[in-house]
Amino acid sequence: MTSSPSFRRRRAADRAVAALVRFGGVGVVLAVLFIAFYLVREALPLAAAPKLEESGRRLPAVAAPVAVGVEDFTEALWELHRDGRLVLRDVADGAELDAAAPLALGPGETVVEARLSPDQATLAVATSSGRLAALPLAFAVDYDDDLERSHRLEETTPRWLIEEGDGPLAAFSVLAEDATVWGAAVRGDGALELVRGRIKVNRLTGAERLSRKVLRLAEPGPITDLALLEGGAVLAGFADGGLAAWRADRPFNKLEECGRTPAGAAVRQIQPLIGAGSALVARADGAVERWMMVAPETGRPILDEAAEMSEAVPGLRLLAPSTRQRVFFALADRELRIGHATAAEYLAAVRLPAGVERVLPSPREDHLLLIGADWVEVRGLELGYPGVTARTLFARIQYEGSPAPAWTWQSTGGSDAYEPKISLVPLILGTFKGTLWALLPSIPLAVLGALFTARFLRGRAREIVKPAVELLAGIPSVILGFVGALYLAPAMQDRMLAVFLLPFVLVLLTVVLAVGWARLPLPSRRRLHEGWAPFLLMAVYAAVGAALLRAGPGLEQALLGAPFREWAPAALGLPFEQRNAAVVGLAMGFAVTPLIFTLAEDAFRNVPETLAEASLALGATPWQTSVRVIFPPALPGVVAAVMLGLGRAVGETMIVLMATGNTSITRLNIFQGFRALSANLAVELPEAPHGESLYRTLFLSALLLFAFTFLVNTAAETIRVRGRKEL
Amino acid sequence: MNSASASPASSLGGIAADAASRRPRLAAGDAPVIRVRDLDFFYGSTQALWGVELDIRRGEVLALIGPSGCGKSTFLRTLNRMNDTIPGTRAEGHVLLDEVDVNSPDVDVVELRRRVGMVFQRPNPFPMSIYDNVAFGPRLHGRARRAELDELVERCLKGAALWDEVHDRLKASALALSGGQQQRLCIARALANEPEVLLLDEPASALDPNSTAKIEDLIFELRGRYTIVIVTHNMQQAARVSDRTAFFLKGRLVESGPTEEMFTNPTRLETEQYITGRFG
């Protein structure tokens, strides 16, 4: 074969186009893969376990201190000594940087024990004479000209909660809240005392004064440990393993018991967690439980067990809380477990050298101090994302302050001590709720409309209807969203009953009209034929629909005796919100219906005309033909259309964002809103700190959404292709 | 055009005479099943049939011949009102089935199409099993008793000379059959409605010669039991299968008469020109 110039040119063009098409196709696949890869990469670190360095710097303590800790940068180590001196030393070489004696102990009085609050800002100090103080810890940083940091102690004043001692305290706890300092202790005489100290500042001099009130319980029982919880609640554990909680009554006259549990394994330690919303109870058998005060619907808060850690730690010696989250360190014989209180499980176990008596995380949680009798070792710590586990994402959890386990998404709160609630269940459920209520009316409307357009509508009407409906699909969803939120929601609120009756009324009307139509004499029927009857019907629909909606509020008053939004909660037990799933269903219907319609219409029209002819020639009515001959072969296409509609509804963001109220509830109630995965991403991702737990959790939810829409769309496409082959 | 139009008219006449000699004689002078009087037909504003007058006798095979676009298919489809499915069409005049005008408002088109069955040019079995294809019509008309349907399906498949080929796979998809088998299935499907008249719109034009022969044999078999109107482009086929032939040209019925006579001694010049292959 000779290759003429024109042939070569055509071949070159052919190859160029083929390359371009291949580039486009491969490009799309790569883009999808890239998105999937990116989502996985951002979410994957969530799976990593906490890590502790294998070894660290060890420095000797000068004299065995009562308490040890580090400041923010883990560059300076502080020690509280028996004589009440506070010493700051360099972590690198052990050199003394600063020293102070803020406690001003009496003659012969020594510090017996000191306990650090979870946020490491307050030290509870008990003295040999039985006095109790809350000592604020503060460190200052100075920068020299080369930006080298140097550390010193900030001057602080102790707040004495028990000023008159009567022998060493058996157990004690201190809790500093905004302008209140709480103290609780078992005194030398065995009585339990709760002290409320209110900090009063003299506006003129700036001097602080502590105004104290004390409540006393003479014989509380053999308390082994106690802790103060939020609001001054005292949680105490007994030698027999029982627990009890007390609170001051309203006018602060007496201690009221608010919960007591039966005996069990002896209570070793009660350790409040950050924010003091809950406390961990360590028992002699190694079990660790989480207890909190919960407020029932009515009445006073009561003591409740929120969770028990998934496993017991053999040889458990003590617990240390982390400073920023609900992570805790459980020290056992030569082993350290890192656990998470919300997740109620241990995430890592580390072998430790001999002689470790205590452990303490640094304020920034980037180091862990292993404290021996006369040494301190500093090891690097990587907690990762301990609060994000399968349990916190998907299981019911009883969070601080809530009376029962629940699936909750409330990722951020007002304070640092807020317990993040990151259950994806309400979001997934919300997504499906929105999809369900959007598809429920859309599917019959779109599929029957498509069948009608493809098989019953004649002449030019058919050529007008499809593009018109497709035009609807082009409405930006943000417009549908604000129409839903600002117009539909308030309008539907007043005529919910009418909205629900509307489809039934219109169907009934159609049947009545159809029967009436069939009885009409032929000439008047003929006059209206050739495709104009549907438009007349639409006018009738519009008129009847408008009349029904206009009569809506009156109808509710007449039939229910009250507006529907008041009737539904009372009679059906379904709470009613203005921005609810019904509004979304309607607004999203405008986005989903045209999509399903146009694909289903194609499916119906693709059924060969010859099949319809054969059926009609056998004496089938058009309806029988549709049901028995058109529908079965079109079914794969229709299913695919519905699936693509489903995919659209699942991924839809703006409409659900604007019209739902975004409440992350787990009820399918159509009269309440919901929060969908997509809307949640739109709301929270811009606000989430880069690289933190929330950020990665959101990426995980994005991955979930991606996987779901990918699967649905792939399934739809597979069904469609298979259906096409069979036809 | 096929070879028939290239053959001299006398050979067609021979075929017709030969076919006629093998056929039992029909009782002549029967009242016609269908009487068409002064039939005009319009596609929108275009007139497709002009004043057609034709009688179709009970039990005969009537062939409609004529060049493409002459209106023979349109005429066929007026007999069971299949043209209703095309928007903008209109029939004027009378198509009397047993003296009742099929276009009158009292006529139930469903019942009309049950009595006047139709088979199309291209085999169009439903994408269902062979059994369900045949049972489709009876089920539509409310005959759903299993035993009755079984018997009916067997009878119709035998009637369409398909039973021996498919009796062991009635549940198999009809789409798996060959073209000729599919067309016979379509005939069986039409027979299942127990029609009085069977309209065949070029039933063999999409088939190979072997299948065509089978269809023709079948038509031969069905003759007498059903009144058959067949549209065909194939002169030899018309000569072989029909008792009478009607020749259409430009929307008008030129002439009709016994097939043997039409092919040996046509009265009109156009007819002779057409069957001798002068045009068309």
Side-chain angles (χ1 to χ4, degrees), chain A residues 564-580:
Chain A
F564 185 84
R565 62 175 184 275
E566 289 164 22
W567 178 81
L572 306 175
L574 299 173
F576 189 99
E577 291 162 6
Q578 194 203 51
R579 293 191 182 178
N580 55 42

Side-chain angles (χ1 to χ4, degrees), chain A residues 109 125 127 129-134 159-167 169 171-174 183-188 191-195 210 212 214:
Chain A
E109 193 182 21
V125 182
T127 70
S129 61
R131 297 203 295 159
L132 178 65
R159 291 173 180 131
W160 290 101
L161 293 160
I162 297 176
E163 285 196 300
E164 303 293 322
D166 59 351
L169 303 172
F172 62 92
S173 177
V174 156
V186 179
R187 302 292 301 265
L192 172 69
E193 274 189 9
L194 174 68
V195 186
L210 198 66
R212 275 176 313 222
V214 181

Side-chain angles (χ1 to χ4, degrees), chain A residues 67-158:
Chain A
V68 174
V70 288
E71 49 64 61
D72 261 15
F73 296 95
T74 321
E75 289 171 347
L77 181 85
W78 58 264
E79 294 167 341
L80 180 69
H81 292 274
R82 297 203 169 275
D83 57 6
R85 270 190 323 126
L86 200 56
V87 176
L88 196 65
R89 296 203 289 147
D90 196 322
V91 167
D93 54 12
E96 190 172 310
L97 299 172
D98 198 0
L103 283 168
L105 298 177
E109 193 182 21
T110 57
V111 174
V112 182
E113 201 184 341
R115 299 178 92 168
L116 195 54
S117 66
D119 62 1
Q120 302 191 1
T122 310
L123 200 55
V125 182
T127 70
S128 55
S129 61
R131 297 203 295 159
L132 178 65
L135 177 64
L137 280 178
F139 308 94
V141 185
D142 300 314
Y143 290 90
D144 66 12
D145 293 343
D146 301 327
L147 292 177
E148 286 287 318
R149 273 191 292 269
S150 63
H151 301 272
R152 61 186 166 80
L153 292 168
E154 192 104 64
E155 202 172 302
T156 58
T157 41

Side-chain angles (χ1 to χ4, degrees), chain A residues 458 610 613-614 616 618-619, chain B residues 77 84 110 113 124 141 193:
Chain A
R458 295 169 149 206
T610 55
E613 251 188 346
L616 291 172
L618 287 168
Chain B
R77 292 165 66 96
D84 287 10
V110 167
R113 288 176 187 161
N124 54 359
H141 303 291
N193 266 343

